[in-house]
Amino acid sequence: MRKINTLIEAGSPPTTDDIENLSNKPTKKTNQNIPEDILGELERSLLKFEKSDLLLDKSLTLTSLAKHLDTNSTYLSSFINTEKGMNFPSYLKQLRVKTAIDKLRSENEFLKYSLNGLADEFGFHTADAFSRAFQKQTGIKASQFLKQLKKREI
């Protein structure tokens, strides 16, 4: 709302592009309720987590990750929401899809897996959940991506 008011106060009416850009860019909040030293530790810990296989654990929850990172779930959730710009489930899906893409591109063995096998390998409960997350993040179906990779590998 503040951004719309700023546009209106600027003297010219907002264009359609201005309005679309406002709706696509969430206003970034700050982590004022988290002490600075904890913010730094959370950032370092999450960077390590993002490179680990722990993110592929199907049973991973916000609470279990917070425990693993030796912090509380309120701080962790707030940090992910503000610094990553998404909630924990979206953040986790994004990391898992990125990991899947990286491994599919670099390790040909994964090209032999079914969607169920890939979902299991990359931390999703079902092939459908994997496919939906993959398509939402990349804009293409996981099956199409696999077909293209297989063509390239032959």
Side-chain angles (χ1 to χ4, degrees):
M1 191 61 130
R2 190 177 324 140
K3 288 183 180 181
I4 291 174
N5 289 338
T6 303
L7 284 172
I8 292 170
E9 290 171 10
S12 62
T15 66
T16 304
D17 287 341
D18 291 333
I19 294 169
E20 286 176 5
N21 287 335
L22 289 175
S23 63
N24 292 333
K25 293 180 183 175
T27 303
K28 188 172 181 181
K29 298 176 185 175
T30 60
N31 280 307
Q32 293 176 357
N33 59 333
I34 303 175
E36 199 65 36
D37 59 325
I38 294 177
L39 279 174
E41 185 58 35
L42 275 171
E43 187 171 14
R44 286 186 294 279
S45 296
L46 274 181
L47 282 174
K48 287 180 189 174
F49 163 71
E50 289 172 1
K51 295 175 183 168
S52 76
D53 286 339
L54 179 60
L55 66 94
L56 304 178
D57 181 350
K58 285 185 196 179
S59 64
L60 186 68
T61 63
L62 178 68
T63 303
S64 66
L65 179 59
K67 206 173 275 189
H68 179 79
L69 300 179
D70 202 26
T71 189
N72 68 55
S73 57
T74 302
Y75 283 173
L76 181 58
S77 178
S78 178
F79 184 86
I80 291 170
N81 289 341
T82 56
E83 299 302 319
K84 304 297 181 179
M86 62 190 80
N87 63 25
F88 179 72
S90 296
Y91 169 67
L92 194 55
K93 286 177 204 167
Q94 182 182 38
L95 291 174
R96 288 173 173 171
V97 168
K98 182 187 179 315
T99 300
I101 291 169
D102 291 346
K103 288 197 176 191
L104 284 164
R105 284 184 172 153
S106 64
E107 299 176 33
N108 291 340
E109 188 63 28
F110 286 110
L111 297 177
K112 299 174 186 172
Y113 285 38
S114 66
L115 284 178
N116 281 325
L118 291 172
D120 189 55
E121 192 70 32
F122 297 116
F124 291 90
H125 289 284
T126 66
D128 189 50
F130 172 66
S131 295
R132 280 193 320 263
F134 193 96
Q135 186 164 6
K136 183 176 181 182
Q137 188 168 326
T138 64
I140 62 169
K141 293 181 179 183
S143 57
Q144 290 174 318
F145 181 73
L146 286 169
K147 283 178 189 173
Q148 290 301 317
L149 281 178
K150 287 176 185 176
K151 282 181 187 177
R152 187 191 71 179
E153 296 302 319
I154 294 174

